[in-house]
Amino acid sequence: MHIAGINWVAVLVAAAAFTAIGYVIHMRLVDLEAWDAAKHNDKAGLSTVRMASGIILPLATAIGLAVLFAWGNVAGVGNGVVWGLAIALASALPTLWYNWFYGSSPIWIFWVDSAHQLIGHAIVGAILAGWR
């Protein structure tokens, strides 16, 4: 379903893929107790509404990349990966790393989050540009 030059089915699939990547990285590959201790999280204090709203950020990323790809006529899986990585390196990672420069969490937290952003942007880019 294309509206305004954007394949909205691809946007939803890309957002779901980004969310799934985050789940695998943060819930399966990382020691959750170490993560919670490093982030000073209290599991009891985490709101289920807040956690459930976690799809908003991957959806915003997918929509943003879809708009940029439509404007720039980015097509093809390889181009999508390259542009997804470029956008992650130019925007997502610098924003993420502000929290390390001015925060107190250990650096490994930011390497994990950076991997999530890089892989996520590459996959979102591949899906969006490959499914044009």
Side-chain angles (χ1 to χ4, degrees):
M1 177 170 76
H2 285 78
I3 299 173
I6 295 172
N7 181 339
W8 290 96
V9 173
V11 167
L12 294 175
V13 169
F18 201 164
T19 301
I21 290 163
Y23 173 80
V24 169
I25 290 173
H26 289 97
M27 301 300 286
R28 296 292 175 215
L29 299 178
V30 173
D31 178 352
L32 291 178
E33 288 184 20
W35 181 270
D36 287 341
K39 295 285 279 184
H40 312 292
N41 283 343
D42 173 12
K43 286 182 186 177
L46 291 176
S47 161
T48 55
V49 172
R50 182 176 169 194
M51 295 303 290
S53 67
I55 187 65
I56 292 171
L57 297 176
L59 186 58
T61 299
I63 291 169
L65 265 64
V67 169
L68 292 174
F69 285 12
W71 289 346
N73 199 27
V74 177
V77 172
N79 286 333
V81 169
V82 168
W83 280 102
L85 289 172
I87 292 165
L89 290 169
S91 182
L93 293 188
T95 302
L96 175 70
W97 278 84
Y98 265 104
N99 289 319
W100 180 72
F101 285 114
Y102 300 109
S104 61
S105 294
I107 196 167
W108 70 268
I109 293 283
F110 296 96
W111 289 118
V112 170
D113 285 341
S114 295
H116 177 201
Q117 291 300 313
L118 286 170
I119 295 167
H121 277 74
I123 297 299
V124 167
I127 292 168
L128 294 175
W131 199 347
R132 289 194 50 125

